[in-house]
């Protein structure tokens, strides 16, 4: 299931573009799926558009990595805990952002969403799943079968992406570069806000 949005969507300066180059590609598996979140927004019924336009979500890098990546290796889980969550961030993003160049509206969701502002965790989960069904519908997605040397460039401000982890122990190496972006702006002109919760204490030597 598609769930990742930008590469670091839990900070206010939402990543702009990402570039991915295939270096070592397994004979089978390891595809990447992208979703057009502007198309997802446009496909919402009018009542859901009005609801989304007024919602804000809390994004954080403190989330259940094992649940999202059940096939992750021990090394990947360790890297997530030691590096990716060394400092915990929470950011309030609008659920609908206005693209700074095109003016188009798109859904800003993904696995980093913890809850919607003003709603309980359980209500947020049900509502999140509803919106995500529009993001992941086949009409709004494209799936890329990699070959070594392929280069993909995408706009994080209007997409979600997901690397399909279905290649077992086969080697898959891709190189990524991400361009810093801008702070999302809601339909009523408000900007995202980031809060640093805490830095994890360094592990003590035995």
């Amino acid at each position: 299931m598609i769930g990742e949005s930008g590469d670091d969507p839990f900070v206010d300066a939402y990543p702009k573009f990402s570039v991915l180059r295939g270096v070592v590609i397994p004979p089978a598996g390891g595809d990447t799926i992208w979703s057009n979140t502007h198309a997802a927004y446009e496909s919402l019924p009018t009542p859901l558009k009005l609801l989304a336009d007024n919602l804000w979500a809390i994004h954080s890098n403190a989330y259940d990595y094992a649940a999202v990546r059940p096939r992750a290796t021990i090394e990947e889980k360790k890297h997530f805990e030691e590096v990716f969550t060394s400092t915990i961030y929470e950011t309030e993003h609008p659920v609908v952002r206005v693209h700074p160049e095109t003016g188009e509206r798109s859904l800003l969701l993904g696995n980093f969403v913890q809850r919607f502002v003003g709603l309980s965790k359980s209500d947020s989960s049900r509502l999140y799943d509803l919106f995500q069904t529009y993001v992941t519908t086949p009409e709004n997605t494209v799936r890329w079968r990699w070959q070594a040397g392929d280069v993909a460039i995408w706009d994080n401000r209007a997409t979600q992406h997901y690397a399909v982890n279905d290649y077992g122990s086969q080697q898959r190496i891709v190189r990524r570069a991400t361009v810093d972006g801008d702070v999302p702006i809601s339909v009523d002109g408000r900007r995202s806000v980031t809060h640093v919760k805490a830095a994890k204490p360094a592990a003590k030597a035995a």
Side-chain angles (χ1 to χ4, degrees):
M1 178 178 180
I2 298 173
E4 298 178 13
S5 42
D7 294 306
D8 295 309
F10 46 82
V11 295
D12 56 356
Y14 204 87
K16 188 175 184 180
F17 295 103
S18 288
V19 181
L20 199 61
R21 179 172 64 89
V23 179
V24 177
I25 304 300
D31 297 356
T32 298
I33 303 173
W34 283 272
S35 177
N36 183 330
T37 54
H38 166 64
Y41 174 81
E42 288 299 323
S43 65
L44 292 173
T46 298
L48 287 182
K49 281 185 181 179
L50 293 173
L51 175 60
D53 286 346
N54 291 282
L55 281 176
W56 285 70
I58 303 296
H59 295 239
S60 177
N61 57 331
Y63 74 106
D64 190 347
Y65 183 80
V68 175
R69 293 287 189 179
R71 298 182 182 179
T73 64
I74 294 175
E75 291 76 14
E76 288 171 336
K77 293 176 181 177
K78 183 178 180 181
H79 180 268
F80 175 81
E81 293 172 356
E82 294 182 353
V83 177
F84 196 72
T85 59
S86 59
T87 299
I88 304 301
Y89 295 90
E90 282 193 352
T91 296
E92 294 182 30
H93 283 310
V95 170
V96 178
R97 71 169 296 175
V98 178
H99 197 286
E101 297 172 19
T102 68
E104 295 176 334
R105 297 181 182 186
S106 61
L107 293 175
L108 200 170
L109 295 167
N111 285 331
F112 296 99
V113 171
Q114 302 294 303
R115 65 187 185 282
F116 294 119
V117 175
L119 298 181
S120 68
K121 188 76 173 178
S122 59
D123 286 344
S124 295
S125 179
R126 288 192 289 268
L127 190 54
Y128 173 88
D129 289 342
L130 174 61
F131 285 127
Q132 275 292 111
T133 61
Y134 289 88
V135 173
T136 59
T137 186
E139 291 81 1
N140 295 330
T141 63
V142 62
R143 181 167 179 150
W144 185 254
R145 171 65 188 137
W146 288 94
Q147 296 184 35
D150 283 355
V151 175
I153 303 173
W154 67 92
D155 187 342
N156 279 306
R157 300 165 298 182
T159 58
Q160 283 187 24
H161 69 279
Y162 180 74
V164 182
N165 189 352
D166 60 351
Y167 48 93
S169 60
Q170 301 177 94
Q171 191 176 35
R172 180 182 186 271
I173 300 175
V174 294
R175 306 297 186 196
R176 184 199 307 250
T178 299
V179 178
D180 286 343
D182 36 54
V183 178
I185 298 177
S186 68
V187 296
D188 61 0
R190 290 184 290 158
R191 297 162 65 89
S192 299
V193 178
T194 291
H195 307 283
V196 179
K197 287 187 65 178
K200 286 187 176 178
K204 295 182 179 179

PDB file of all heavy atoms in Angstrom, residues 115-135:
ATOM      1  N   ARG A 115      -2.296  11.622  13.590  1.00  0.00           N
ATOM      2  CA  ARG A 115      -3.704  11.889  13.882  1.00  0.00           C
ATOM      3  C   ARG A 115      -4.080  13.212  13.226  1.00  0.00           C
ATOM      4  O   ARG A 115      -3.218  13.966  12.783  1.00  0.00           O
ATOM      5  CB  ARG A 115      -3.941  11.992  15.395  1.00  0.00           C
ATOM      6  CG  ARG A 115      -3.251  13.174  16.054  1.00  0.00           C
ATOM      7  CD  ARG A 115      -3.364  13.146  17.560  1.00  0.00           C
ATOM      8  NE  ARG A 115      -2.793  14.347  18.172  1.00  0.00           N
ATOM      9  CZ  ARG A 115      -1.500  14.557  18.350  1.00  0.00           C
ATOM     10  NH1 ARG A 115      -0.619  13.650  17.967  1.00  0.00           N
ATOM     11  NH2 ARG A 115      -1.059  15.679  18.911  1.00  0.00           N
ATOM     12  N   PHE A 116      -5.382  13.473  13.173  1.00  0.00           N
ATOM     13  CA  PHE A 116      -5.872  14.757  12.696  1.00  0.00           C
ATOM     14  C   PHE A 116      -6.125  15.668  13.887  1.00  0.00           C
ATOM     15  O   PHE A 116      -6.607  15.217  14.941  1.00  0.00           O
ATOM     16  CB  PHE A 116      -7.145  14.589  11.876  1.00  0.00           C
ATOM     17  CG  PHE A 116      -6.948  13.835  10.592  1.00  0.00           C
ATOM     18  CD1 PHE A 116      -7.615  12.642  10.349  1.00  0.00           C
ATOM     19  CD2 PHE A 116      -6.085  14.314   9.625  1.00  0.00           C
ATOM     20  CE1 PHE A 116      -7.429  11.947   9.176  1.00  0.00           C
ATOM     21  CE2 PHE A 116      -5.885  13.624   8.439  1.00  0.00           C
ATOM     22  CZ  PHE A 116      -6.549  12.444   8.211  1.00  0.00           C
ATOM     23  N   VAL A 117      -5.789  16.931  13.734  1.00  0.00           N
ATOM     24  CA  VAL A 117      -5.956  17.906  14.814  1.00  0.00           C
ATOM     25  C   VAL A 117      -7.432  18.006  15.196  1.00  0.00           C
ATOM     26  O   VAL A 117      -8.302  18.174  14.335  1.00  0.00           O
ATOM     27  CB  VAL A 117      -5.411  19.287  14.388  1.00  0.00           C
ATOM     28  CG1 VAL A 117      -5.690  20.331  15.479  1.00  0.00           C
ATOM     29  CG2 VAL A 117      -3.921  19.213  14.086  1.00  0.00           C
ATOM     30  N   GLY A 118      -7.699  17.863  16.502  1.00  0.00           N
ATOM     31  CA  GLY A 118      -9.061  17.970  17.006  1.00  0.00           C
ATOM     32  C   GLY A 118      -9.843  16.682  16.988  1.00  0.00           C
ATOM     33  O   GLY A 118     -10.996  16.654  17.454  1.00  0.00           O
ATOM     34  N   LEU A 119      -9.242  15.585  16.468  1.00  0.00           N
ATOM     35  CA  LEU A 119      -9.934  14.302  16.419  1.00  0.00           C
ATOM     36  C   LEU A 119      -9.180  13.266  17.247  1.00  0.00           C
ATOM     37  O   LEU A 119      -7.968  13.368  17.432  1.00  0.00           O
ATOM     38  CB  LEU A 119     -10.063  13.805  14.976  1.00  0.00           C
ATOM     39  CG  LEU A 119     -10.876  14.673  14.007  1.00  0.00           C
ATOM     40  CD1 LEU A 119     -10.919  14.027  12.632  1.00  0.00           C
ATOM     41  CD2 LEU A 119     -12.293  14.895  14.532  1.00  0.00           C
ATOM     42  N   SER A 120      -9.913  12.273  17.721  1.00  0.00           N
ATOM     43  CA  SER A 120      -9.281  11.200  18.476  1.00  0.00           C
ATOM     44  C   SER A 120      -8.433  10.332  17.555  1.00  0.00           C
ATOM     45  O   SER A 120      -8.551  10.392  16.323  1.00  0.00           O
ATOM     46  CB  SER A 120     -10.346  10.338  19.156  1.00  0.00           C
ATOM     47  OG  SER A 120     -11.085   9.622  18.169  1.00  0.00           O
ATOM     48  N   LYS A 121      -7.593   9.504  18.163  1.00  0.00           N
ATOM     49  CA  LYS A 121      -6.749   8.605  17.384  1.00  0.00           C
ATOM     50  C   LYS A 121      -7.598   7.647  16.559  1.00  0.00           C
ATOM     51  O   LYS A 121      -7.306   7.385  15.384  1.00  0.00           O
ATOM     52  CB  LYS A 121      -5.843   7.822  18.337  1.00  0.00           C
ATOM     53  CG  LYS A 121      -4.783   6.989  17.661  1.00  0.00           C
ATOM     54  CD  LYS A 121      -3.632   7.830  17.156  1.00  0.00           C
ATOM     55  CE  LYS A 121      -2.502   6.953  16.636  1.00  0.00           C
ATOM     56  NZ  LYS A 121      -1.384   7.744  16.092  1.00  0.00           N
ATOM     57  N   SER A 122      -8.653   7.104  17.153  1.00  0.00           N
ATOM     58  CA  SER A 122      -9.494   6.128  16.443  1.00  0.00           C
ATOM     59  C   SER A 122     -10.263   6.790  15.304  1.00  0.00           C
ATOM     60  O   SER A 122     -10.342   6.237  14.198  1.00  0.00           O
ATOM     61  CB  SER A 122     -10.453   5.443  17.410  1.00  0.00           C
ATOM     62  OG  SER A 122     -11.298   6.385  18.057  1.00  0.00           O
ATOM     63  N   ASP A 123     -10.822   7.975  15.548  1.00  0.00           N
ATOM     64  CA  ASP A 123     -11.522   8.681  14.481  1.00  0.00           C
ATOM     65  C   ASP A 123     -10.558   9.076  13.371  1.00  0.00           C
ATOM     66  O   ASP A 123     -10.884   8.999  12.182  1.00  0.00           O
ATOM     67  CB  ASP A 123     -12.222   9.927  15.027  1.00  0.00           C
ATOM     68  CG  ASP A 123     -13.466   9.596  15.832  1.00  0.00           C
ATOM     69  OD1 ASP A 123     -13.966   8.459  15.719  1.00  0.00           O
ATOM     70  OD2 ASP A 123     -13.941  10.488  16.581  1.00  0.00           O
ATOM     71  N   SER A 124      -9.360   9.508  13.768  1.00  0.00           N
ATOM     72  CA  SER A 124      -8.346   9.889  12.786  1.00  0.00           C
ATOM     73  C   SER A 124      -7.981   8.712  11.901  1.00  0.00           C
ATOM     74  O   SER A 124      -7.828   8.855  10.680  1.00  0.00           O
ATOM     75  CB  SER A 124      -7.086  10.406  13.493  1.00  0.00           C
ATOM     76  OG  SER A 124      -7.336  11.602  14.192  1.00  0.00           O
ATOM     77  N   SER A 125      -7.844   7.526  12.506  1.00  0.00           N
ATOM     78  CA  SER A 125      -7.465   6.337  11.744  1.00  0.00           C
ATOM     79  C   SER A 125      -8.502   5.990  10.688  1.00  0.00           C
ATOM     80  O   SER A 125      -8.167   5.695   9.531  1.00  0.00           O
ATOM     81  CB  SER A 125      -7.262   5.162  12.707  1.00  0.00           C
ATOM     82  OG  SER A 125      -6.920   3.991  12.006  1.00  0.00           O
ATOM     83  N   ARG A 126      -9.769   6.048  11.069  1.00  0.00           N
ATOM     84  CA  ARG A 126     -10.831   5.718  10.112  1.00  0.00           C
ATOM     85  C   ARG A 126     -10.895   6.748   8.987  1.00  0.00           C
ATOM     86  O   ARG A 126     -11.066   6.394   7.816  1.00  0.00           O
ATOM     87  CB  ARG A 126     -12.167   5.632  10.837  1.00  0.00           C
ATOM     88  CG  ARG A 126     -12.306   4.394  11.728  1.00  0.00           C
ATOM     89  CD  ARG A 126     -13.743   4.215  12.187  1.00  0.00           C
ATOM     90  NE  ARG A 126     -14.109   5.233  13.160  1.00  0.00           N
ATOM     91  CZ  ARG A 126     -13.997   5.088  14.474  1.00  0.00           C
ATOM     92  NH1 ARG A 126     -13.509   3.961  14.970  1.00  0.00           N
ATOM     93  NH2 ARG A 126     -14.378   6.042  15.304  1.00  0.00           N
ATOM     94  N   LEU A 127     -10.752   8.017   9.340  1.00  0.00           N
ATOM     95  CA  LEU A 127     -10.816   9.063   8.337  1.00  0.00           C
ATOM     96  C   LEU A 127      -9.595   9.017   7.414  1.00  0.00           C
ATOM     97  O   LEU A 127      -9.707   9.206   6.195  1.00  0.00           O
ATOM     98  CB  LEU A 127     -10.914  10.429   9.022  1.00  0.00           C
ATOM     99  CG  LEU A 127     -11.237  11.625   8.129  1.00  0.00           C
ATOM    100  CD1 LEU A 127     -12.506  11.382   7.325  1.00  0.00           C
ATOM    101  CD2 LEU A 127     -11.378  12.885   8.985  1.00  0.00           C
ATOM    102  N   TYR A 128      -8.434   8.724   7.987  1.00  0.00           N
ATOM    103  CA  TYR A 128      -7.208   8.588   7.192  1.00  0.00           C
ATOM    104  C   TYR A 128      -7.378   7.477   6.154  1.00  0.00           C
ATOM    105  O   TYR A 128      -7.047   7.650   4.974  1.00  0.00           O
ATOM    106  CB  TYR A 128      -6.033   8.292   8.107  1.00  0.00           C
ATOM    107  CG  TYR A 128      -4.751   7.960   7.371  1.00  0.00           C
ATOM    108  CD1 TYR A 128      -3.880   8.972   6.985  1.00  0.00           C
ATOM    109  CD2 TYR A 128      -4.420   6.635   7.081  1.00  0.00           C
ATOM    110  CE1 TYR A 128      -2.713   8.669   6.304  1.00  0.00           C
ATOM    111  CE2 TYR A 128      -3.254   6.333   6.406  1.00  0.00           C
ATOM    112  CZ  TYR A 128      -2.399   7.354   6.023  1.00  0.00           C
ATOM    113  OH  TYR A 128      -1.239   7.052   5.344  1.00  0.00           O
ATOM    114  N   ASP A 129      -7.892   6.340   6.591  1.00  0.00           N
ATOM    115  CA  ASP A 129      -8.080   5.212   5.674  1.00  0.00           C
ATOM    116  C   ASP A 129      -9.018   5.593   4.531  1.00  0.00           C
ATOM    117  O   ASP A 129      -8.812   5.184   3.376  1.00  0.00           O
ATOM    118  CB  ASP A 129      -8.641   3.999   6.415  1.00  0.00           C
ATOM    119  CG  ASP A 129      -7.620   3.353   7.335  1.00  0.00           C
ATOM    120  OD1 ASP A 129      -6.409   3.621   7.159  1.00  0.00           O
ATOM    121  OD2 ASP A 129      -8.036   2.594   8.237  1.00  0.00           O
ATOM    122  N   LEU A 130     -10.042   6.370   4.833  1.00  0.00           N
ATOM    123  CA  LEU A 130     -10.982   6.808   3.800  1.00  0.00           C
ATOM    124  C   LEU A 130     -10.277   7.655   2.747  1.00  0.00           C
ATOM    125  O   LEU A 130     -10.403   7.400   1.542  1.00  0.00           O
ATOM    126  CB  LEU A 130     -12.128   7.592   4.441  1.00  0.00           C
ATOM    127  CG  LEU A 130     -13.126   8.241   3.465  1.00  0.00           C
ATOM    128  CD1 LEU A 130     -13.812   7.184   2.614  1.00  0.00           C
ATOM    129  CD2 LEU A 130     -14.144   9.077   4.246  1.00  0.00           C
ATOM    130  N   PHE A 131      -9.512   8.659   3.179  1.00  0.00           N
ATOM    131  CA  PHE A 131      -8.811   9.517   2.230  1.00  0.00           C
ATOM    132  C   PHE A 131      -7.761   8.738   1.441  1.00  0.00           C
ATOM    133  O   PHE A 131      -7.565   8.955   0.247  1.00  0.00           O
ATOM    134  CB  PHE A 131      -8.159  10.703   2.945  1.00  0.00           C
ATOM    135  CG  PHE A 131      -9.134  11.773   3.364  1.00  0.00           C
ATOM    136  CD1 PHE A 131      -9.176  12.226   4.673  1.00  0.00           C
ATOM    137  CD2 PHE A 131     -10.005  12.338   2.449  1.00  0.00           C
ATOM    138  CE1 PHE A 131     -10.074  13.211   5.065  1.00  0.00           C
ATOM    139  CE2 PHE A 131     -10.909  13.320   2.813  1.00  0.00           C
ATOM    140  CZ  PHE A 131     -10.944  13.758   4.133  1.00  0.00           C
ATOM    141  N   GLN A 132      -7.076   7.806   2.122  1.00  0.00           N
ATOM    142  CA  GLN A 132      -6.033   7.047   1.447  1.00  0.00           C
ATOM    143  C   GLN A 132      -6.590   6.144   0.346  1.00  0.00           C
ATOM    144  O   GLN A 132      -5.882   5.828  -0.614  1.00  0.00           O
ATOM    145  CB  GLN A 132      -5.248   6.196   2.448  1.00  0.00           C
ATOM    146  CG  GLN A 132      -4.114   6.951   3.137  1.00  0.00           C
ATOM    147  CD  GLN A 132      -2.990   7.319   2.176  1.00  0.00           C
ATOM    148  OE1 GLN A 132      -2.794   8.488   1.871  1.00  0.00           O
ATOM    149  NE2 GLN A 132      -2.254   6.331   1.717  1.00  0.00           N
ATOM    150  N   THR A 133      -7.846   5.729   0.455  1.00  0.00           N
ATOM    151  CA  THR A 133      -8.405   4.911  -0.621  1.00  0.00           C
ATOM    152  C   THR A 133      -8.458   5.687  -1.936  1.00  0.00           C
ATOM    153  O   THR A 133      -8.331   5.082  -3.019  1.00  0.00           O
ATOM    154  CB  THR A 133      -9.824   4.423  -0.270  1.00  0.00           C
ATOM    155  OG1 THR A 133     -10.707   5.537  -0.092  1.00  0.00           O
ATOM    156  CG2 THR A 133      -9.817   3.570   0.976  1.00  0.00           C
ATOM    157  N   TYR A 134      -8.606   6.992  -1.860  1.00  0.00           N
ATOM    158  CA  TYR A 134      -8.591   7.813  -3.070  1.00  0.00           C
ATOM    159  C   TYR A 134      -7.165   8.000  -3.591  1.00  0.00           C
ATOM    160  O   TYR A 134      -6.946   8.103  -4.795  1.00  0.00           O
ATOM    161  CB  TYR A 134      -9.247   9.175  -2.802  1.00  0.00           C
ATOM    162  CG  TYR A 134     -10.739   9.083  -2.623  1.00  0.00           C
ATOM    163  CD1 TYR A 134     -11.288   8.844  -1.363  1.00  0.00           C
ATOM    164  CD2 TYR A 134     -11.603   9.214  -3.704  1.00  0.00           C
ATOM    165  CE1 TYR A 134     -12.666   8.739  -1.184  1.00  0.00           C
ATOM    166  CE2 TYR A 134     -12.981   9.106  -3.542  1.00  0.00           C
ATOM    167  CZ  TYR A 134     -13.504   8.866  -2.280  1.00  0.00           C
ATOM    168  OH  TYR A 134     -14.870   8.751  -2.117  1.00  0.00           O
ATOM    169  N   VAL A 135      -6.194   8.025  -2.683  1.00  0.00           N
ATOM    170  CA  VAL A 135      -4.794   8.144  -3.084  1.00  0.00           C
ATOM    171  C   VAL A 135      -4.321   6.874  -3.778  1.00  0.00           C
ATOM    172  O   VAL A 135      -3.587   6.924  -4.774  1.00  0.00           O
ATOM    173  CB  VAL A 135      -3.903   8.436  -1.854  1.00  0.00           C
ATOM    174  CG1 VAL A 135      -2.426   8.403  -2.234  1.00  0.00           C
ATOM    175  CG2 VAL A 135      -4.265   9.796  -1.241  1.00  0.00           C
TER     176      VAL A 135
END
